[in-house]
Amino acid sequence: MDFSADGRFAVVSCEFSGQLLKVDIPHERVAGVLTLRSGAAPQDVKLSPDGAVYYVADMNSNGVWIVDADTFRVLRFMPTGAGAHGLYPSRDSRYLYVTNRMAGSISVVSFATRRIVHTWHIPGGGSPDMGNVSASGKVLWLSGRYNREIYALSTKDGRLLARIPVGAGPHGLCVWPQPGRYSLGHTGILR
């Protein structure tokens, strides 16, 4: 989930119903329901730095939905790779890193253009899942869900800095400390 820029609403993903809920925080009620395509499995939700759109990773649709923050309507769908799952903004708010678990890749989306500007592949394959960006902004840390490992990638060019064996099924990686004031839960995500 993520909050609107003014904090009045939260947009929450519902993986198994293929829906997004818009929750009115002050009144503690559901203010809207957005049903994505049949078979959709929305995962992470992130608000753009300008507060205009939400990005929603969809593991079954293999990409990201771009949803207007005001009207709560889909603007378009952006294919990124098989198993799109995690969304992590860069520290300078220029890019959004999208983990494509089944594709073994990370799509780098420009917030300015709302387009993919790079695709980084884990050398030798992998299953990048959930994690976060280091406080310095220089390293993207991710769990390798089906490969019994975690990855450290350079946010400058996607170069694999480390591949660390950890055991079966790492489903997320908390990177701490994180800048931010409000917890969005998940793997230590703050805003």
Side-chain angles (χ1 to χ4, degrees):
M1 67 162 257
D2 203 350
F3 293 99
S4 60
D6 62 8
R8 290 188 55 233
F9 297 97
V11 171
V12 180
S13 66
C14 302
E15 176 178 357
F16 300 109
S17 70
Q19 296 175 314
L20 301 175
L21 301 181
K22 185 175 183 178
V23 179
D24 181 324
I25 301 296
H27 297 101
E28 299 179 357
R29 64 178 180 84
V30 174
V33 178
L34 177 59
T35 301
L36 302 171
R37 72 161 186 83
S38 177
Q43 306 290 311
D44 276 5
V45 178
K46 289 290 178 287
L47 183 68
S48 61
D50 64 4
V53 298
Y54 291 97
Y55 291 84
V56 181
D58 185 337
M59 193 165 58
N60 287 354
S61 299
N62 304 319
V64 175
W65 298 96
I66 301 175
V67 176
D68 186 283
D70 290 329
T71 64
F72 199 49
R73 295 189 190 282
V74 171
L75 296 176
R76 70 182 179 88
F77 179 79
M78 177 173 36
T80 59
H85 191 72
L87 301 175
Y88 307 100
S90 63
R91 289 286 169 249
D92 61 7
S93 299
R94 293 179 61 203
Y95 303 109
L96 181 67
Y97 306 114
V98 181
T99 61
N100 304 304
R101 187 195 295 171
M102 304 310 290
S105 68
I106 295 93
S107 298
V108 183
V109 176
S110 164
F111 279 124
T113 64
R114 300 180 187 164
R115 303 279 180 212
I116 297 169
V117 293
H118 301 290
T119 300
W120 301 333
H121 295 273
I122 304 290
S127 52
D129 193 16
M130 299 184 299
N132 213 332
V133 178
S134 65
S136 69
K138 295 180 179 180
V139 181
L140 175 62
W141 287 92
L142 300 168
S143 60
R145 177 78 185 269
Y146 303 124
N147 294 80
R148 307 170 66 97
E149 57 196 3
I150 59 174
Y151 316 109
L153 295 103
S154 166
T155 56
K156 181 179 179 182
D157 56 12
R159 181 173 50 93
L160 184 65
L161 302 172
R163 178 181 229 133
I164 305 165
V166 294
H171 190 192
L173 176 69
C174 182
V175 180
W176 201 257
Q178 287 292 309
R181 186 171 175 194
Y182 300 103
S183 173
L184 302 179
H186 214 232
T187 54
I189 309 296
L190 295 175
R191 183 160 78 87

